[in-house]
Every structure is written in structure tokens, then in C-alpha cells.
């Protein structure tokens, strides 16, 4: 079969869940037996999101090949089998960078280099790059139709249909149909305007995804159909859901995957959605409950910890457990005299990755609290580094121990740069990035959780455990349970005399899937549950309460 293309654009406003929609469409088409991949085109000028802070952009998702990408690629990997790489996320910055390099090389010698055709050609080249070996490419265009910076991308996908043939391209547009309570009505005008805007630049959408809080009636679909020149059965309700993993099921019920294969003239088997049904059922009606505290700096923007919060939910799926996430601001922990109370509700404490010195001491305080009270503790990347610092200071008696990231004058830089990082001066794309192998010591917590001795996990950091301190740390009871194959780098530390105390230099959350929860997260939630039982708190959810309280899950997300 010739490769076909789906382009997903967004209208009216951002945050309508375009990434989740793209990922869910991927899941549905994969469940019909198609080989798919996804790509995100972002209109901003940064070459990648690696240099933006999480408040600007949310999480930076890291792929196996070490690309720092948009967090939507995390959704793509969680919902589908498609492996993501550098080629699956391009920004305006990257596209221009490529074109300008070609210009300097002399590729366009004699010509004037312009947005059309040079930039649009480069965009189309990047789209075709991921088409190899798949039946379908789903391309999500970042931003909202009407933004100036998105225009070259929209122009490129407009041209694309003429290049590859009408029957090989499907345009899907996501809009908002708000319910206006004073009128007691759903309003279609924003959708009409947004489609008008898209048509003005030459794209007639084939399918409309209408984000709403309630199902659209046939009359309303008929109205949208008439104004937007789209068949009524191609007007799909994208209703708010309780868990994001319900989106593929809601889309399927609305006939979305059927409509896509009709537009693209593809014949497939019927979709098999039992796995998604099982996941949704497990998330909505678990039999157990536990509270996990996330102590971080970016807690006010949950998007910053997207993969992490999903991985914890996956750990919950593996344990038939609802995981309540208690986000705790580490700077508040530093200021608040009553800081113990905040951590008291937690059945387990997690300190995630992060950069910069703000909030560091609050995180260290939380780690000390977890270690001294033997509360399950999971430190990820920066969280692991801080666990080492806490242990060095308070157990090994190394006063002033720190990371040279926060205190370049520290007498005990237990976390430091390796020689190769000391040579690095540019910030973009220069950290230790992507997948690295790691060997696990037999009989350790890590080994028990993974059930094997060699693993590969994704990294995104500059600093490492300083090997000079290995001996003092281990002599006081810290176990270095995961090392790089050449033994140069410490990847996992543990405190074996604790219930569950583990820090890893990598980011396991990037590889967790709802259909395949990550072993460290599954094991961590298991530990949270048993610590909760040990504390004498109720672990089982009474059956009647299970379904009603699921309506108020604190982490419930509208997709
Ligand atoms: N700031 C630390 C480093 O660069 C940790 C980074 C992280 O947590 N991802 O090493």
C-alpha cells in the first residue's frame, strides 16, 4: 500500500488536546492492523524545546536517539508502538537551520531563497522522511490556525495533497464547541470561523473533531456540516473524558477511525480495542488506593511532569491501584515551618528531575524525611543526585557536600561534571542525551524490579556521581546497583536497609506505557501500597465508593 498521510490542525484556541487526539488516532489505526508513525511540526523558532524552561513549554520528552522533543511525542509513544526519534519532531528553527545550511553550502546557487518554495519544500522533505516503511503518517501541526508563524507549515501541507494525490491525504481539524451556560446552548460560531480561516489558505478539512463537554446532537452536527462544508458523519464529538486513555474509545464510538479509512480508501480489519478498555476500567475502578508526593519546582504546571505522572498512573494500573498525586512545591517546603504535615499524607515520596538551584534544599529536606522515616523514596535524575548529597551530608558526615551545579566551591562535590562535559560551552543539545545501557547488580532492588541484569534507559543531564566518593558512600551503606557497562558511571543507587529507596540517573518515565507499565514504577507503587498498609491506613477502596470517587480523581485530565 502507498503511504497515506493525515494532517491534524487546531483551531480556536490551544490546549484542546491535539496531541492526545493525534496519539489516539494512531492507536485506533494501529488497532486496525495498520503500520503507523507520528510527527509533530512546531512553529516556534527554538531548534528544539531543550532550551526552554518547563513553564514555557511543559516537559521536554527525550527519545532513544537523544532528541529533546515536544511532550506530544511522549503521548505518541504511550499510545502506539511507533518508536519516536529526531525525525519525528521538527520546529521552524530546525527547518530554517537546514535551509540556511544548504544555502551556505551553495545548494541553491544563483537563486533567491524564499519561504515558498524553499522552506515549504524542506517541510515536505521532513514529512516524507518518516514515511518509509509505514502505511500511514499522522502529522500534527503545533499552534492554532491563524498564527502567523504557522503559515509555512499549513502551506506545505496544502501543497502536499497535490504532490501525493487526493486519495492519500486526510485533513483533520480540531476545534472547540463551547457550552454557554447563560444561553443553555452549545455554540458553533468559533468552529465556523476557524474552518473559514483554514479554507482561506486553501485547506478544506475532511473531518472535524469538536471538543465539547457533551455529545453533539444530530441537529448540531447537521448545522456544523452545512456551514463548514463537511459531511455530517465527519463531524465528530471529542468529548471531555475522565482519563486520557478513554479518548481512543470515545473517538471509535463516534466513528472516527471508520471515517478516516473511508476518506483514505483503505481496507482494514476491525479494530481490537480490548486492551484500551481494560486500561480504562482499571483506572476508573481500581480496588486500591495510595498517595504519592511529588516534590518539585514545577508543580504549578502539571504539564512539566507529564511522562512522570503518566508513569505513576501506569504503576497504579499494574497494582490495581488509584495513585493520588500530591504535588508539593519544594520552595514552599523550605519556607513552611509546618513542612512535615505536607509530607505526612504521602505513602511514598518522589523527587523528579530538574535544573538550577531553586528549591534544592527543600527537596533534600524531603529526602532526609523519607530516609529517616523509612518511607518509600524514588529519586529521578536530579532526585537521585540530591539523594546522594543528602546521604553524603547526613550519613557520611561530609559537610557542605553538594553538586558543583549548585555550589561550584563545595568542599565535597559528590555530584560533578565528567571531563567531557567540562569542555562543553553551548547549551543546546549538549547534555548526556538518549538511551544508554546499564548493568544491574544481582540481588538488588533494581534487579528484582526489572527481572534482568542489563537494561537501557534514557538520559538528560550534565552532572554525574563523582567517582572519588564511591568508596565513602558504599562504606556507609549506599549500594551502587546500576553501572554503565564500562563501570565509569553510576546509574542507580539504593539504600538496601530501607523498604524502598532508589535513585536513578536516567528518566525511566519516558519508557513507561499504559499497556506496559515500567518495572520501577510498578515496584514503587507496590511499595507505597505496602507502606500504607503498614501505617494502618485503608488500602482497599470500598466497592460502592470506588465508582463514585473516581469522578473526583485529583489527577483527572480532560483530553
Ligand atoms: N541538573 C542535573 C544535571 O544536569 C539533573 C538534570 C535532570 O534532572 N534531568 O545533571
Amino acid at each position: 500500500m502507498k503511504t497515506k498521510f493525515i494532517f491534524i490542525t487546531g483551531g480556536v484556541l490551544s490546549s484542546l488536546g491535539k496531541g492526545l487526539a493525534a496519539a489516539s488516532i494512531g492507536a485506533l489505526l494501529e488497532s486496525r492492523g495498520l503500520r503507523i508513525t507520528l510527527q509533530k511540526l512546531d512553529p516556534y523558532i527554538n531548534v528544539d524545546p531543550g532550551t526552554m524552561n518547563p513553564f514555557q513549554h511543559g516537559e521536554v520528552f527525550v527519545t532513544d536517539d537523544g532528541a529533546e522533543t515536544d511532550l506530544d511525542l511522549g503521548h505518541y509513544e504511550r499510545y502506539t508502538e511507533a518508536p519516536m526519534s529526531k525525525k519525528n519532531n521538527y520546529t521552524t528553527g530546525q527547518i530554517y537551520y537546514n535551509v540556511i545550511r544548504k544555502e551556505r553550502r551553495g545548494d541553491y546557487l544563483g537563486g533567491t531563497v524564499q519561504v515558498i518554495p524553499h522552506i515549504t519544500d524542506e517541510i515536505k522533505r521532513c514529512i516524507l522522511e518518516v514515511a518509509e516503511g509505514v502505511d500511514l503518517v499522522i502529522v500534527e501541526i503545533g499552534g492554532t490556525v491563524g498564527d502567523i508563524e504557522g503559515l509555512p507549515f499549513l502551506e506545505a501541507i496544502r501543497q502536499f495533497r497535490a504532490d501525493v494525490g487526493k486519495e492519500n491525504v486526510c485533513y483533520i481539524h480540531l476545534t472547540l464547541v463551547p457550552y454557554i451556560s447563560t444561553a443553555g446552548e452549545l455554540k458553533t460560531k468559533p468552529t465556523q470561523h476557524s474552518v473559514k480561516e483554514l479554507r482561506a489558505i486553501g485547506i478544506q478539512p475532511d473531518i472535524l473533531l469538536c471538543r465539547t463537554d457533551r455529545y453533539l446532537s444530530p441537529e448540531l452536527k447537521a448545522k456544523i456540516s452545512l456551514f463548514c462544508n463537511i459531511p455530517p458523519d465527519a463531524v465528530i464529538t471529542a468529548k471531555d473524558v475522565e482519563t486520557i486513555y478513554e479518548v481512543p474509545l470515545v473517538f471509535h464510538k463516534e466513528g472516527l477511525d471508520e471515517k478516516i479509512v473511508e476518506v483514505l480508501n483503505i481496507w482494514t480489519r476491525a479494530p481490537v480495542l480490548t486492551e484500551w478498555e481494560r486500561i480504562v476500567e482499571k483506572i476508573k475502578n481500581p480496588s486500591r488506593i495510595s498517595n504519592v508526593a511529588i516534590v518539585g519546582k514545577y508543580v504549578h504546571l502539571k504539564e512539566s511532569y507529564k511522562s512522570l505522572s503518566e508513569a505513576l498512573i501506569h504503576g497504579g494500573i499494574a497494582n490495581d491501584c488509584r495513585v493520588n498525586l500530591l504535588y508539593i512545591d519544594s520552595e514552599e517546603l523550605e519556607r513552611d515551618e509546618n513542612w512535615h504535615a505536607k509530607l505526612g499524607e504521602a505513602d511514598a515520596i518522589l523527587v523528579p528531575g530538574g535544573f538550577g538551584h531553586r528549591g534544592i534544599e527543600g527537596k533534600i529536606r524531603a529526602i532526609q524525611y523519607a530516609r529517616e522515616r523509612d518511607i518509600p523514596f524514588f529519586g529521578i535524575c536530579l532526585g537521585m543526585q540530591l539523594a546522594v548529597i543528602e546521604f553524603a551530608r547526613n550519613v557520611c558526615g561530609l559537610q557542605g557536600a553538594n553538586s558543583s551545579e549548585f555550589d561550584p566551591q563545595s568542599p565535597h562535590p559528590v555530584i560533578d561534571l565528567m571531563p567531557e562535559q567540562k569542555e562543553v560551552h553551548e547549551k543546546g543539545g549538549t547534555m548526556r542525551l538518549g538511551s544508554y545501557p546499564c548493568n544491574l547488580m544481582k540481588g538488588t532492588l533494581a534487579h528484582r524490579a526489572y527481572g534482568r541484569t542489563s537494561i537501557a534507559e534514557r538520559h538528560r543531564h550534565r552532572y554525574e556521581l563523582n567517582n572519588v566518593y564511591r568508596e565513602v558512600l558504599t562504606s556507609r551503606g549506599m549500594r551502587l546497583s546500576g553501572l554503565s557497562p564500562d563501570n565509569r558511571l553510576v546509574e542507580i543507587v539504593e539504600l538496601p536497609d530501607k523498604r524502598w529507596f532508589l535513585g536513578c540517573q536516567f528518566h525511566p518515565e519516558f519508557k513507561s506505557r499504559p499497556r506496559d507499565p515500567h518495572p520501577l514504577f510498578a515496584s514503587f507503587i507496590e511499595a507505597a501500597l505496602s507502606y500504607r498498609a503498614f501505617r494502618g491506613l485503608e488500602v482497599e477502596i470500598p466497592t460502592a465508593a470506588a465508582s463514585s470517587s473516581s469522578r473526583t480523581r485529583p489527577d483527572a485530565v480532560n483530553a
Side-chain angles (χ1 to χ4, degrees):
M1 177 176 126
K2 199 167 173 223
T3 307
K4 312 239 176 189
F5 298 84
I6 297 174
F7 294 106
I8 304 181
T9 53
V12 186
L13 44 87
S14 61
S15 301
L16 291 181
K18 203 163 7 115
L20 285 172
S24 300
I25 290 170
L28 282 175
L29 295 170
E30 216 169 49
S31 80
R32 298 179 77 116
L34 296 168
R35 291 167 306 159
I36 62 115
T37 192
L38 294 112
Q39 187 181 51
K40 175 91 192 271
L41 302 178
D42 277 310
Y44 54 76
I45 296 176
N46 303 58
V47 170
D48 63 43
T51 51
M52 282 186 243
N53 84 33
F55 291 118
Q56 291 279 316
H57 186 268
E59 165 187 282
V60 173
F61 185 78
V62 180
T63 57
D64 269 339
D65 69 344
E68 298 177 274
T69 70
D70 186 75
L71 60 78
D72 281 333
L73 273 79
H75 293 314
Y76 303 165
E77 281 202 343
R78 284 188 283 275
Y79 281 69
T80 74
E81 306 283 327
M84 292 294 114
S85 74
K86 283 190 173 68
K87 293 181 177 168
N88 300 79
N89 188 193
Y90 280 98
T91 67
T92 293
Q94 180 76 58
I95 299 283
Y96 273 78
Y97 194 57
N98 293 353
V99 169
I100 290 169
R101 266 197 325 234
K102 286 182 194 170
E103 187 274 335
R104 291 291 83 184
R105 214 165 52 202
D107 290 13
Y108 312 112
L109 226 47
T112 308
V113 182
Q114 294 179 297
V115 173
I116 304 171
H118 301 97
I119 294 295
T120 46
D121 279 353
E122 180 61 19
I123 294 169
K124 292 191 287 181
R125 191 192 64 75
C126 292
I127 295 170
L128 287 169
E129 219 177 39
V130 295
E132 191 78 25
V134 295
D135 301 318
L136 243 164
V137 182
I138 302 163
V139 183
E140 177 192 348
I141 313 294
T144 307
V145 168
D147 300 344
I148 293 174
E149 52 187 17
L151 279 173
F153 289 110
L154 295 174
E155 169 59 16
I157 65 167
R158 183 196 67 77
Q159 295 171 11
F160 209 89
R161 188 174 235 175
D163 292 357
V164 300
K166 193 171 180 327
E167 68 291 357
N168 295 322
V169 170
C170 172
Y171 297 113
I172 300 181
H173 189 55
L174 173 67
T175 73
L176 177 71
V177 180
Y179 180 77
I180 304 299
S181 54
T182 46
E185 262 183 350
L186 284 166
K187 290 294 184 188
T188 65
K189 194 69 86 187
T191 297
Q192 294 177 35
H193 277 289
S194 168
V195 171
K196 202 166 112 188
E197 187 116 29
L198 203 52
R199 287 167 63 183
I201 46 183
I203 298 173
Q204 165 65 49
D206 299 296
I207 296 173
L208 268 188
L209 287 178
C210 302
R211 180 71 192 273
T212 74
D213 66 349
R214 61 204 68 206
Y215 281 100
L216 304 183
S217 64
E219 295 75 39
L220 209 74
K221 286 189 175 182
K223 182 176 174 189
I224 294 174
S225 155
L226 185 67
F227 280 105
C228 300
N229 197 24
I230 287 166
D233 66 343
V235 180
I236 305 287
T237 307
K239 197 179 120 14
D240 296 354
V241 284
E242 238 179 272
T243 149
I244 56 170
Y245 299 115
E246 213 174 343
V247 179
L249 300 175
V250 171
F251 280 180
H252 175 65
K253 247 192 262 149
E254 279 283 296
L256 176 59
D257 47 317
E258 198 55 40
K259 192 71 205 170
I260 292 173
V261 294
E262 182 197 311
V263 170
L264 292 172
N265 194 22
I266 309 173
W267 296 89
T268 76
R269 66 165 197 228
V272 186
L273 295 170
T274 38
E275 267 293 270
W276 293 105
E277 284 158 3
R278 182 186 66 81
I279 287 162
V280 169
E281 173 57 25
K282 276 264 174 273
I283 292 178
K284 284 189 176 179
N285 297 308
S287 58
R288 308 193 286 174
I289 190 160
S290 71
N291 298 332
V292 174
I294 299 178
V295 182
K297 189 166 69 172
Y298 314 114
V299 291
H300 302 296
L301 183 72
K302 311 267 178 312
E303 293 282 279
S304 317
Y305 298 121
K306 198 74 222 149
S307 294
L308 180 69
S309 54
E310 291 309 310
L312 287 162
I313 291 168
H314 305 160
I317 297 175
N319 286 285
D320 193 13
C321 171
R322 172 175 308 137
V323 181
N324 289 326
L325 306 179
L326 317 172
Y327 288 96
I328 299 180
D329 182 339
S330 51
E331 286 188 285
E332 270 170 40
L333 271 193
E334 286 170 12
R335 285 192 298 263
D336 191 352
E337 276 182 21
N338 200 17
W339 61 273
H340 294 91
K342 287 213 164 82
L343 293 169
E345 278 177 49
D347 303 316
I349 295 175
L350 188 148
V351 176
F355 295 84
H357 69 276
R358 270 198 310 116
I360 290 299
E361 295 302 323
K363 292 178 196 175
I364 292 180
R365 188 175 251 189
I367 296 169
Q368 183 175 6
Y369 181 89
R371 184 179 55 77
E372 290 178 349
R373 283 167 184 73
D374 201 0
I375 302 168
F377 170 78
F378 195 176
I380 294 179
C381 204
L382 177 66
M384 174 247 191
Q385 297 174 352
L386 298 179
V388 171
I389 293 169
E390 192 280 323
F391 190 81
R393 288 183 190 172
N394 301 326
V395 179
C396 306
L398 301 175
Q399 265 189 26
N402 214 328
S403 162
S404 41
E405 179 179 6
F406 316 124
D407 178 7
Q409 313 305 334
S410 167
H412 296 294
V414 290
I415 305 294
D416 199 7
L417 293 176
M418 296 298 271
E420 51 272 31
Q421 273 292 336
K422 289 191 175 145
E423 305 301 313
V424 169
H425 298 293
E426 285 197 3
K427 293 277 186 249
T430 54
M431 283 187 257
R432 179 174 168 212
L433 287 167
S435 182
Y436 283 84
C438 166
N439 292 340
L440 303 180
M441 191 196 283
K442 286 211 174 100
T444 57
L445 172 55
H447 178 225
R448 280 199 303 283
Y450 279 96
R452 54 201 153 95
T453 52
S454 82
I455 59 165
E457 293 282 3
R458 298 181 193 171
H459 291 249
R460 180 174 185 253
H461 55 100
R462 257 180 237 292
Y463 293 80
E464 308 279 352
L465 190 146
N466 185 341
N467 290 325
V468 172
Y469 291 92
R470 276 196 198 189
E471 206 177 305
V472 52
L473 293 167
T474 50
S475 73
R476 301 307 297 263
M478 183 167 264
R479 190 155 63 187
L480 313 179
S481 58
L483 296 175
S484 60
D486 63 4
N487 285 339
R488 264 185 82 228
L489 301 166
V490 176
E491 310 284 42
I492 309 179
V493 301
E494 296 178 11
L495 296 181
D497 60 337
K498 300 291 168 201
R499 268 194 188 89
W500 205 103
F501 193 107
L502 183 145
C504 52
Q505 190 57 84
F506 48 80
H507 289 273
E509 68 271 28
F510 293 143
K511 286 176 75 171
S512 189
R513 309 274 182 270
R515 292 182 285 183
D516 186 15
H518 192 286
L520 287 179
F521 284 93
S523 171
F524 180 57
I525 298 301
E526 192 185 346
L529 280 165
S530 57
Y531 179 62
R532 185 175 174 85
F534 171 81
R535 294 208 286 167
L537 296 176
E538 199 62 63
V539 167
E540 301 292 322
I541 305 175
T543 353
S547 55
S548 61
S549 66
S550 67
R551 316 252 159 248
T552 55
R553 277 178 51 219
D555 61 317
V557 194
N558 292 330

